């Protein structure tokens, strides 16, 4: 059996790699002797960072304490990944787990160990579980009741992510479309889409009617580009038409073609990160974006911005349904939730 690399080395790589280019990252892996198994453990650290950023941006968190598990073997303590207090005063001890499959299995001893640690520090034990890209949140009691086996198809609707951290699911009807024009020569509005260049115009339409536009000369609605990133990701899988207007400009048309499309608030908050670039033109990683949030720009995207943006479309007679406690409500009929 291949010897496992100490968690300290894996964390060292994870912390240092955010400052390196791809070639330097490969060299550092060789120096530290990281294996393919260690790559999976690195993915676990990335998922921890993703979950941390997600619940922070959802806006219902008061305090987050990350726990360094590298010291826990000294006393044999089975720590969790985070201690979290919500704005409502709920205190949780959260263990993050993930799988590329649609289900995951834990040992009963692991769950009981995390429960004992949580109780010792006055917290409720919870497991944040990511299956096939979908996040869920369950108490230790629920995990034990399910014989420590969680399935995406059977357990997703039982997740407490919406109740505890304010996750929301939206239902979008067909009719919304986005036209984007990109140029490699002209100065745009700061939205890059290689190889087509920088966006010089973005138009939002509802049932063929133009409702909002963003250009280099009129950027009043530029904040809508935050929600458009998630729209682009989903619409491109339903309908995307790419057409060259001339030797420089490219038009991309994307729209919802399904009768109804379900999207999550957390995806609207996280999608811009995948498309943002730093001052050197490099795409942000989750870890480097976390560093960015510690600075003056940490509130550049928020729950309020996303809900306010979606509400603008609802006001244009594009009925968006938001689900709260499994019940659906017309977004325009609700206060910010």
């Amino acid at each position: 059996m291949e010897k496992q690399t100490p968690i300290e080395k894996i964390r060292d790589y994870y912390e240092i790699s955010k400052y390196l280019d791809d070639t330097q990252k490969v060299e550092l892996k060789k120096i530290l002797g990281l294996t393919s198994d260690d790559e999976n453990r690195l993915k676990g650290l990335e998922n921890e960072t993703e979950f941390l950023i997600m619940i922070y941006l959802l806006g219902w968190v008061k305090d987050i304490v990350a726990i360094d598990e590298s010291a826990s073997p000294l006393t044999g303590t089975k720590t969790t990944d985070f201690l979290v207090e919500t704005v409502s005063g709920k205190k949780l001890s959260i263990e993050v787990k993930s799988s590329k499959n649609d289900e995951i299995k834990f040992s009963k001893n692991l769950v009981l160990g995390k429960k004992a640690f949580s109780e010792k520090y006055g917290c409720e034990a919870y497991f944040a579980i990511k299956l096939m890209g979908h996040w869920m949140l369950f108490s230790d009691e629920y995990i034990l009741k399910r014989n420590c086996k969680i399935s995406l198809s059977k357990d997703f609707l039982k997740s407490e992510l919406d109740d505890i951290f304010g996750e929301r699911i939206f239902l979008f009807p067909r009719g919304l479309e986005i036209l984007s024009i990109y140029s490699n020569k002209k100065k745009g509005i700061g939205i890059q889409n290689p190889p087509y260049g920088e966006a010089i115009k973005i138009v939002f339409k509802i049932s063929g009617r133009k409702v909002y536009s963003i250009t280099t000369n009129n950027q009043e609605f530029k904040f809508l580009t935050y929600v458009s990133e998630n729209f682009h990701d989903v619409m491109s899988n339903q309908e995307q038409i790419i057409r060259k207007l001339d030797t420089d400009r490219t038009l991309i048309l994307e729209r919802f073609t399904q009768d109804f499309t379900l999207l999550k608030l957390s995806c609207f908050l996280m999608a811009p990160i995948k498309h943002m670039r730093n001052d050197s033109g490099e795409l942000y990683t989750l870890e480097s974006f976390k560093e960015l949030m510690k600075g003056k720009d940490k509130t550049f995207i928020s729950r309020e911005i996303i809900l306010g943006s979606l509400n603008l479309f609802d006001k244009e007679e594009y009925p968006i349904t938001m689900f709260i406690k499994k019940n659906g409500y017309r977004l325009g009929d609700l206060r910010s939730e």
Side-chain angles (χ1 to χ4, degrees):
M1 183 176 178
E2 194 174 43
K3 186 177 179 181
Q4 197 173 47
T5 304
I7 188 64
E8 291 90 342
K9 284 190 176 182
I10 295 175
R11 286 192 177 276
D12 285 345
Y13 171 82
Y14 189 63
E15 289 295 322
I16 297 171
S17 63
K18 61 192 174 190
Y19 304 110
L20 307 178
D21 59 31
D22 290 341
T23 301
Q24 292 170 323
K25 289 177 182 178
V26 171
E27 189 62 29
L28 181 59
K29 286 180 182 178
K30 291 180 181 178
I31 293 173
L32 295 175
L34 300 189
T35 66
S36 57
D37 286 340
D38 298 327
E39 294 278 359
N40 293 329
R41 297 169 77 192
L42 277 169
K43 189 62 180 175
L45 292 177
E46 290 176 1
N47 285 326
E48 290 176 21
T49 301
E50 179 182 328
F51 178 75
L52 183 151
I53 293 174
M54 181 182 73
I55 62 173
Y56 174 82
L57 291 177
L58 280 169
W60 283 18
V61 167
K62 179 181 179 182
D63 290 308
I64 301 175
V65 176
I67 300 173
D68 182 2
E69 66 175 307
S70 64
S72 58
L74 294 173
T75 57
T77 305
K78 293 183 178 180
T79 61
T80 57
D81 295 311
F82 301 108
L83 299 180
V84 177
E85 182 178 0
T86 68
V87 292
S88 65
K90 189 177 182 69
K91 295 182 178 180
L92 306 91
S93 176
I94 300 177
E95 178 72 8
V96 179
K97 295 293 184 182
S98 63
S99 173
K100 294 180 180 179
N101 301 319
D102 63 353
E103 64 179 33
I104 192 168
K105 176 76 174 177
F106 307 108
S107 71
K108 186 174 181 180
N109 285 339
L110 181 141
V111 177
L112 292 176
K114 304 299 182 182
K115 176 181 175 67
F117 171 80
S118 304
E119 291 175 343
K120 185 177 180 180
Y121 291 94
C123 298
E124 298 178 58
Y126 272 81
F127 285 74
I129 299 173
K130 182 183 180 184
L131 297 180
M132 299 180 70
H134 297 279
W135 282 104
M136 298 174 286
L137 185 72
F138 302 105
S139 67
D140 61 299
E141 286 88 353
Y142 185 86
I143 299 288
L144 292 170
K145 184 175 70 175
R146 297 285 290 122
N147 294 319
C148 303
K149 184 178 180 180
I150 295 298
S151 162
L152 183 61
S153 59
K154 295 178 181 179
D155 300 297
F156 181 78
L157 293 179
K158 300 293 184 180
S159 169
E160 295 186 57
L161 198 60
D162 53 347
D163 293 333
I164 294 176
F165 291 118
E167 174 69 290
R168 294 290 179 260
I169 295 177
F170 303 95
L171 186 150
F172 294 84
R174 69 166 71 231
L176 181 64
E177 61 184 70
I178 304 176
L179 291 85
S180 306
I181 299 178
Y182 296 90
S183 169
N184 281 302
K185 297 179 180 179
K186 297 179 180 179
K187 177 66 176 176
I189 58 178
I191 308 298
Q192 300 284 340
N193 187 359
Y196 307 112
E198 189 173 352
I200 57 175
K201 186 175 185 178
I202 299 176
V203 176
F204 298 88
K205 290 186 174 183
I206 296 174
S207 300
R209 175 174 57 91
K210 183 172 74 172
V211 290
Y212 302 110
S213 64
I214 309 166
T215 67
T216 53
N217 296 322
N218 182 6
Q219 300 190 34
E220 177 184 359
F221 295 103
K222 187 179 178 180
F223 61 88
L224 292 179
T225 58
Y226 291 132
V227 295
S228 70
E229 296 293 4
N230 194 36
F231 284 147
H232 289 313
D233 290 342
V234 178
M235 287 178 173
S236 61
N237 291 318
Q238 295 189 19
E239 182 177 12
Q240 182 186 70
I241 299 172
I242 302 175
R243 181 161 61 91
K244 291 292 292 183
L245 297 178
D246 51 39
T247 56
D248 174 44
R249 297 177 303 155
T250 302
L251 181 146
I252 300 180
L253 167 65
E254 295 162 316
R255 59 164 64 102
F256 287 136
T257 57
Q258 298 177 3
D259 288 338
F260 297 105
T261 301
L262 292 176
L263 300 178
K264 293 181 288 187
L265 175 59
S266 59
C267 292
F268 279 109
L269 291 164
M270 299 292 287
I273 300 174
K274 296 186 299 182
H275 302 279
M276 287 183 59
R277 296 178 181 271
N278 59 24
D279 294 337
S280 301
E282 300 170 328
L283 287 170
Y284 278 102
T285 63
L286 288 170
E287 189 61 28
S288 62
F289 187 81
K290 185 179 73 173
E291 294 300 310
L292 175 69
M293 290 199 309
K294 294 177 182 178
K296 60 182 176 64
D297 295 327
K298 66 179 181 179
T299 58
F300 81 100
I301 185 171
S302 67
R303 181 187 195 90
E304 291 72 26
I305 289 176
I306 298 301
L307 291 176
S309 298
L310 295 180
N311 197 50
L312 286 180
F313 292 103
D314 191 279
K315 287 181 177 179
E316 291 291 339
E317 299 306 316
Y318 179 69
I320 300 172
T321 301
M322 183 167 76
F323 291 88
I324 303 175
K325 297 185 182 298
K326 313 301 186 292
N327 295 315
Y329 303 90
R330 174 75 179 263
L331 182 61
D333 295 334
L334 295 169
R335 293 182 179 180
S336 180
E337 289 286 346

